[in-house]
Amino acid sequence: MAANSRLTIAAHALAWLELARRRGRTTLTSDEVAASVNTNAVIVRRSLTDLHRAGLVTARRGNGAGFALGRPAAEITLLDVWLAVSPEPLLALHRTEPNLECPVGRGIRPVLTDLYDEATQAFQASLARTSVADILERMPT
Amino acid sequence: MAANSRLTIAAHALAWLELARRRGRTTLTSDEVAASVNTNAVIVRRSLTDLHRAGLVTARRGNGAGFALGRPAAEITLLDVWLAVSPEPLLALHRTEPNLECPVGRGIRPVLTDLYDEATQAFQASLARTSVADILERMPT
DNA sequence: CCAGAAGCAACAGCTTTTGTTACGACTGAG
DNA sequence: CTCAGTCGTAACAAAAGCTGTTGCTTCTGG
């Protein structure tokens, strides 16, 4: 699969929003974010619309409008962002139902489901340890 | 992305190989594995070829040949399997280079790389806790 | 009213995954 | 040695997802 870069784009946008805020600009347009991420403004709006649905940013339309952080950057974790933009699970079960006449075909799915959940939770717990503010602190200014 | 199910197919094949071994059959053909997984034999051979390259199974060609476990099922972890069949990273950086004139564009990539590595390692550590033998033990017999 | 910006649908190009067919390479049985 | 059975692998098609693009609609402050 084309590994998706939505978390990267969303995290980049949020970091840029926070840096702009510290410099006195509370809102940025999708064009301004797209210029930093180096992609199309529609791609940015798609990501930021996801974040908007999750309450991580606010969006105002109209002349002079744009996007702003929905809450302090220290209170937005990478997990929040990942959950907002990543609809797909990390690991998928069989695409077609396995053969139920085989003991493995009958029994393996609930086991793998549990194991995949555990691995996904470990992954998520790691993402939850870092906030957007932390990302800015780790960047050279 | 179509989330890939290679880990599922490979784990299923290994569990089936181990169960067959306990019943006295040390090798299975790709057709027999495919019948349990309910997919095409070529798909199974592709997965098992990956596992073969990683040393997790042995493959013998010729009349009466097939695949067998390369080492005890208790010594094959899901992480071994994942590493053998999953070429793609869990999280991708920007597809195109961000704008280097922006401080975020310049600085965010090494930070995200580190954070993604940490999350991936947490994920891998979770997979490493379970072996193929554990999977069989968690299945109803 | 209107200019500017978000919201959104539709489409194309690309990549990945899965599935299928076909065929070559190898090997044990006879 | 022959041959049937099996792995190994290439080529191809269908389906799905991601990115990027265009164009239009909706909203809102001036």
Side-chain angles (χ1 to χ4, degrees), chain A residues 90-91 111-123, chain B residues 7-8 11 76-86 90 119-132 134-135 138:
Chain A
L90 288 179
L91 298 166
V111 177
L112 289 182
T113 298
D114 285 350
L115 295 173
Y116 291 178
D117 281 350
E118 287 169 23
T120 300
Q121 280 174 21
F123 173 83
Chain B
L7 178 59
T8 296
I76 300 176
T77 71
L78 274 186
L79 175 58
D80 297 325
V81 183
W82 189 76
L83 290 173
V85 301
S86 230
L90 288 179
T120 300
Q121 279 174 22
F123 173 83
Q124 291 183 348
S126 177
L127 291 183
R129 277 185 226 114
T130 308
S131 71
V132 171
D134 293 332
I135 291 176
R138 292 174 67 153

Side-chain angles (χ1 to χ4, degrees), chain A residues 88-109:
Chain A
E88 296 296 320
L90 288 179
L91 298 166
L93 289 185
H94 307 73
R95 175 158 305 201
T96 64
E97 182 171 76
N99 185 348
L100 299 183
E101 293 176 21
C102 166
V104 177
R106 272 201 308 280
I108 201 171
R109 281 187 299 180

Side-chain angles (χ1 to χ4, degrees), chain A residues 102 104, chain B residues 12-21 23-34 36 44-45 48 57-60 64-69:
Chain A
C102 166
V104 177
Chain B
H12 186 145
L14 291 170
W16 187 211
L17 280 172
E18 169 64 5
L19 183 58
R21 190 193 62 80
R23 292 175 169 180
R25 300 202 51 199
T26 58
T27 69
L28 292 178
T29 68
S30 58
D31 267 331
E32 290 170 316
V33 174
S36 172
V44 170
R45 287 206 289 271
L48 288 180
V57 301
T58 61
R60 277 208 1 267
F67 295 94
L69 290 184

Side-chain angles (χ1 to χ4, degrees), chain A residues 1 5 8 12 23 35-36 38 92-94 96-97 99 102-104 107-108 111 115-116 118-119 122 126 130 138-139, chain B residues 1 5 8 12 23 35-36 38 92-94 96-97 99 102-104 107-108 111 115-116 118-119 126 130 138-139:
Chain A
M1 132 156 39
S5 57
T8 296
H12 186 144
R23 291 174 170 180
S36 171
N38 189 23
L93 289 185
H94 307 73
T96 64
E97 182 171 76
N99 185 348
C102 166
V104 177
I108 201 171
V111 177
L115 295 173
Y116 291 178
E118 287 169 23
S126 178
T130 308
R138 292 173 67 153
M139 280 174 42
Chain B
M1 126 168 6
S5 57
T8 296
H12 186 145
R23 292 175 169 180
S36 172
N38 189 22
L93 288 185
H94 307 74
T96 64
E97 182 171 76
N99 184 350
C102 166
V104 176
I108 202 171
V111 177
L115 295 172
Y116 291 177
E118 288 169 22
S126 177
T130 308
R138 292 174 67 153
M139 281 175 42

Side-chain angles (χ1 to χ4, degrees), chain A residues 40 46 48 57 62 77 81 90 105-106 117:
Chain A
N40 192 287
R46 281 210 270 251
L48 289 179
V57 301
T77 72
V81 182
L90 288 179
R106 272 201 308 280
D117 281 350

